[in-house]
Amino acid sequence: MTTTRKKSKALPAPPTTLFLFGARGDLVKRLLMPALYNLSRDGLLDEGLRIVGVDHNAVSDAEFATLLEDFLRDEVLNKQGQGAAVDAAVWARLTRGINYVQGDFLDDSTYAELAARIAASGTGNAVFYLATAPRFFSEVVRRLGSAGLLEEGPQAFRRVVIEKPFGSDLQTAEALNGCLLKVMSEKQIYRIDHYLGKETVQNILVSRFSNSLFEAFWNNHYIDHVQITAAETVGVETRGSFYEHTGALRDMVPNHLFQLLAMVAMEPPAAFGADAVRGEKAKVVGAIRPWSVEEARANSVRGQYSAGEVAGKALAGYREEANVAPDSSTETYVALKVMIDNWRWVGVPFYLRTGKRMSVRDTEIVICFKPAPYAQFRDTEVERLLPTYLRIQIQPNEGMWFDLLAKKPGPSLDMANIELGFAYRDFFEMQPSTGYETLIYDCLIGDQTLFQRADNIENGWRAVQPFLDAWQQDASLQNYPAGVDGPAAGDELLARDGRVWRPLG
Ligand code: BG6
């Protein structure tokens, strides 16, 4: 049961019983089943994989399998542009092992049934995937522990996958970690952040640490500041009741945006193994300067969208969405400035922003370089040196682009921004994927590199806690109409430092 990162991913994962708690929920439908299907298509699942749905509804094994097939057809294949046909052979391979346990997550008899399923499966290996509402996480894990289902043997691993949100502040995250670690070891816990399943996110480490060019300028001598943006055009859709008590900060920052920050800012790991990579990530997130409450207020902006327009379509404001209070003070946009107090980054601000109903879908990291000295251009046509960047686009147009300066053709010395670029689609054939394939496969083979360790999660919450505390005292919101890139105050956060957000898209 090693957690060393494998050299090759060609082999099917070992036979395992994969229990999906919350089997009839949205996550299983939209992401997990499609990912399992893609893994099966790629020959990465063992014939002995058993998928056992666990939920409270009364459904037979056959009905459950049909339900999953319907999910698959509707949700993914259409989206991936493969037409409506599920590959019958791939599906047949997967359904051989699908069955269902009807049970209450809070009832001990459910766990006795799970034990019976493992005993009948022909393998002692089991993964318990908690695709449930967060209030069940500690309850389910405690019962798995009491039923002896987390006890490993030499030929039997037992692992638990926990979805986000992992806690709602530092205290609840610590309490949840405490509860998990009471019944199992860190090596058995797989805390998911689906951003780590994205190829472009994984590529940040590979590009940074395989091209010596990057290391030469990757520090506060050459980098002026870093911008990290996750802009979405979608609103809260059907998730109003979840979002109302979550908001943009908790939903996106301590998890997804800090993962991006960690990938950009961490020191090189000694090896690409779970311990080394996660150790460096925890270290850099732990080096984020803890703002006082006053500093946190000054270095943050909360926004909420009102009615507006995206791509010519009229859209309701957040307060008009289903299951949202008409006087809601939940933020749908947040912009923050954080500082990392270590030798590499001291003095380099990291500006983070995320929002719903912005003008475009764009998740990107912009590394902004310090300007070259102007003096040498004083007697030329060049009035000032334009900013230069490295832009790493995570989605939707995956790739990396340098915005540099070059001489404009002509007799005088003048210059313009030019672009040197790498788009994934120009170099690689990308198979349709949900991002969960790697994560599920890695869990089945015991590789924790792309999962969050307890200290990483807690360091993230520690860094956002001052913002939560500041907003507890003053929850004022800046309004922005749907379809623009956040409130004006988000721009002012940079403007007061003499900087601007790079335009999105
Ligand atoms: C989820 C958030 O974790 O990430 C959602 O709960 C958000 O609110 C989503 O929309 C964004 O993920 P992606 O992969 O579309 O950037």
Side-chain angles (χ1 to χ4, degrees):
M1 265 175 286
T2 163
T3 57
T4 306
R5 189 131 179 88
K6 61 275 153 201
K7 300 270 186 304
S8 152
K9 289 201 163 196
L11 295 177
T16 307
T17 306
L18 172 60
F19 292 99
L20 301 177
F21 283 75
R24 298 195 32 142
D26 209 43
L27 186 76
V28 172
K29 171 174 160 174
R30 285 190 308 108
L31 295 162
L32 302 188
M33 273 324 290
L36 285 161
Y37 173 82
N38 290 339
L39 284 171
S40 175
R41 173 199 67 199
D42 296 344
L44 291 174
L45 298 180
D46 187 272
E47 298 274 312
L49 178 84
R50 299 278 169 271
I51 299 172
V52 182
V54 186
D55 221 327
H56 58 269
N57 321 65
V59 177
S60 71
D61 288 352
E63 282 167 340
F64 181 56
T66 309
L67 201 77
L68 294 183
E69 191 176 357
D70 291 346
F71 284 169
L72 194 61
R73 193 177 299 115
D74 296 351
E75 285 291 320
V76 177
L77 296 183
N78 286 335
K79 271 191 207 152
Q80 292 180 354
Q82 293 177 354
V86 175
D87 183 317
V90 173
W91 182 246
R93 248 195 337 262
L94 205 57
T95 37
R96 262 206 303 271
I98 292 186
N99 48 71
Y100 185 81
V101 170
Q102 180 197 356
D104 184 334
F105 301 154
L106 306 182
D107 183 342
D108 291 344
S109 66
T110 305
Y111 299 82
E113 182 56 29
L114 303 192
R117 298 292 173 116
I118 296 176
S121 71
T123 168
N125 298 334
V127 169
F128 303 96
Y129 197 122
L130 307 196
T132 66
R135 68 176 185 282
F136 290 116
F137 292 166
S138 48
E139 293 296 333
V140 170
V141 164
R142 199 161 53 75
R143 286 174 172 80
L144 288 171
S146 323
L149 293 171
L150 298 175
E151 279 159 33
E152 303 195 286
Q155 299 304 325
F157 61 71
R158 299 295 165 91
R159 298 176 186 145
V160 173
V161 181
I162 307 264
E163 271 293 334
K164 72 175 271 274
F166 195 97
S168 53
D169 56 16
L170 177 58
Q171 201 189 353
T172 49
E174 284 173 342
L176 182 52
N177 274 330
C179 169
L180 302 184
L181 290 164
K182 220 182 264 170
V183 290
M184 64 189 140
S185 73
E186 182 64 44
K187 295 249 179 272
Q188 295 173 269
I189 308 172
Y190 290 70
R191 299 177 192 81
I192 285 232
D193 182 317
H194 80 275
Y195 263 50
L196 291 175
K198 295 181 192 284
E199 286 291 347
T200 34
V201 175
Q202 295 171 37
N203 178 53
I204 299 171
L205 284 201
V206 174
S207 288
R208 270 191 66 193
F209 298 131
S210 63
N211 298 292
S212 50
L213 164 86
F214 284 108
E215 185 55 25
F217 64 75
W218 212 262
N219 55 54
N220 58 2
H221 296 295
Y222 297 100
I223 294 176
D224 176 71
H225 71 283
V226 177
Q227 304 179 3
I228 302 180
T229 299
E232 300 185 278
T233 50
V234 291
V236 285
E237 312 202 284
T238 54
R239 299 163 72 222
S241 44
F242 159 78
Y243 204 81
E244 268 290 84
H245 58 262
T246 305
L249 178 70
R250 289 185 170 94
D251 191 36
M252 296 290 288
V253 178
N255 32 64
H256 307 327
L257 294 198
F258 277 6
Q259 286 299 337
L260 298 181
L261 175 143
M263 292 296 210
V264 167
M266 68 190 261
E267 293 301 312
F272 277 101
D275 289 343
V277 170
R278 300 192 314 165
E280 292 302 341
K281 282 167 61 179
K283 233 159 69 187
V284 76
V285 175
I288 294 176
R289 185 182 305 166
W291 292 130
S292 68
V293 166
E294 292 69 36
E295 288 167 330
R297 190 174 305 118
N299 287 309
S300 64
V301 175
R302 304 176 78 226
Q304 188 189 71
Y305 64 83
S306 53
E309 218 180 85
V310 174
K313 197 169 151 217
L315 295 162
Y318 177 69
R319 292 178 183 183
E320 285 97 60
E321 304 275 17
N323 300 317
V324 169
D327 59 348
S328 169
S329 64
T330 299
E331 81 285 356
T332 60
Y333 168 97
V334 58
L336 308 173
K337 172 178 165 182
V338 299
M339 303 297 293
I340 299 176
D341 283 335
N342 65 18
W343 282 97
R344 188 186 287 270
W345 296 114
V346 68
V348 178
F350 282 67
Y351 299 100
L352 277 50
R353 69 176 157 166
T354 182
K356 302 245 180 235
R357 288 280 189 241
M358 291 172 69
S359 68
V360 284
R361 177 165 184 252
D362 183 0
T363 304
E364 64 173 33
I365 299 163
V366 181
I367 311 288
C368 305
F369 300 116
K370 289 191 169 165
Y374 173 74
Q376 55 213 332
F377 296 101
R378 210 176 291 135
D379 299 325
T380 71
E381 299 293 310
V382 178
E383 282 173 13
R384 65 187 178 96
L385 291 173
L386 298 168
T388 52
Y389 307 109
L390 168 64
R391 183 165 55 93
I392 304 171
Q393 191 161 58
I394 306 299
Q395 57 194 17
N397 182 19
E398 295 115 332
M400 299 166 79
W401 289 267
F402 276 105
D403 272 17
L404 302 177
L405 293 166
K407 182 181 174 300
K408 270 191 195 162
S412 57
L413 199 164
D414 199 358
M415 57 177 69
N417 274 113
I418 53 102
E419 199 174 72
L420 303 180
F422 147 62
Y424 265 77
R425 59 167 187 269
D426 295 340
F427 287 84
F428 303 112
E429 202 181 314
M430 310 271 275
Q431 285 277 22
S433 82
T434 63
Y436 269 75
E437 289 79 357
T438 315
L439 298 173
I440 295 174
Y441 179 77
D442 282 4
C443 173
L444 293 173
I445 64 167
D447 183 344
Q448 293 185 297
T449 313
L450 298 178
F451 295 85
Q452 303 209 74
R453 211 168 58 188
D455 52 349
N456 200 173
I457 295 238
E458 289 174 16
N459 286 349
W461 279 115
R462 202 163 282 120
V464 302
Q465 192 62 47
F467 299 108
L468 293 172
D469 294 344
W471 297 354
Q472 187 91 38
Q473 293 171 10
D474 172 5
S476 39
L477 275 171
Q478 310 291 324
N479 171 266
Y480 63 100
V484 309
D485 292 330
D491 299 336
E492 283 150 24
L493 185 71
L494 272 69
R496 67 171 196 220
D497 294 344
R499 301 181 173 112
V500 289
W501 292 108
R502 191 190 174 283
L504 294 176

